[in-house]
Amino acid sequence: MMLERLGPRAGVLVLAAVIGLLAGCGAAAPDDGASPETASQGALEVTAKLVDIAGEFPSNDLYDYAYVMRYEIVETHRGEASGVILVGHYNPLKKRAEAADQRSGPIGGNVTRFRAGDLHRMALDLPIDAYCMAGIINPYAEEGEFAAAPVYWAHSTNRVVP
């Protein structure tokens, strides 16, 4: 009715706007998480699924810390690693791009929050205590198969969108 009064050109513009809105509501574009930082920092670069965050992150308004999380490696891009690994992230309540300070050295990435099930592309190094000058909270330290597992330090952590 109203479009008939405006003519065929208005109908085409309305149709294009509707298609644009529908496209904007869709899933995020695929992103493999690769960046110059993940490609150059640390001795290891992996894409891994965050399979477990044991407990809740403590508040970091009184002190800085690294929190250890459990990952399953999906793909190793550089270095050697496979299976399940433990990774410590500095001040995990902060966005990776805002977490770096004098205690952490250069860390970064585009992850804004940690959720079990997410895929991350990370630049990693061993051992965590060679890089982290703050407290390290490792909920797996007392857990059977992971009690003696090495803990990696995350230099850069980017979200992967399949």
Side-chain angles (χ1 to χ4, degrees), residues 37 41 88-91 95-101 104-109 123 131 153-157:
E37 291 78 22
Q41 296 175 332
H89 292 280
Y90 186 69
N91 283 337
K95 297 175 183 177
R96 295 302 79 200
E98 300 170 0
D101 62 23
S104 68
I107 60 172
Y131 301 92
W153 171 249
H155 291 286
S156 182
T157 308

Side-chain angles (χ1 to χ4, degrees), residues 73-97:
I73 293 177
V74 174
E75 183 176 0
T76 301
H77 306 283
R78 183 168 45 89
E80 292 184 25
S82 62
V84 175
I85 62 171
L86 300 178
V87 177
H89 292 280
Y90 186 69
N91 283 337
L93 291 172
K94 294 182 177 178
K95 297 175 183 177
R96 295 302 79 200

Side-chain angles (χ1 to χ4, degrees), residues 48-53 57 68-72 74 87 89 113-120 122 140:
K49 181 178 182 179
L50 178 53
V51 293
D52 186 48
I53 302 171
F57 304 136
V68 178
M69 302 174 211
R70 193 164 41 125
Y71 281 88
E72 182 174 346
V74 174
V87 177
H89 292 280
R113 68 180 238 202
F114 291 93
R115 293 181 302 205
D118 283 355
L119 282 173
H120 295 154
M122 299 178 287
Y140 306 100

Side-chain angles (χ1 to χ4, degrees), residues 129-142:
D129 53 1
Y131 301 92
C132 182
M133 301 303 142
I136 300 169
I137 300 172
N138 182 358
Y140 306 100
E142 303 292 323

Side-chain angles (χ1 to χ4, degrees), residues 31-42 44-47 77-78 96 107-111 120-123 155-160:
D31 183 348
D32 68 359
S35 70
E37 291 78 22
T38 60
S40 63
Q41 296 175 332
L44 179 66
E45 179 184 8
V46 300
T47 296
H77 306 283
R78 183 168 45 89
R96 295 302 79 200
I107 60 172
N110 66 12
V111 168
H120 295 154
R121 188 163 181 154
M122 299 178 287
H155 291 286
S156 182
T157 308
N158 288 330
R159 185 167 177 244
V160 174

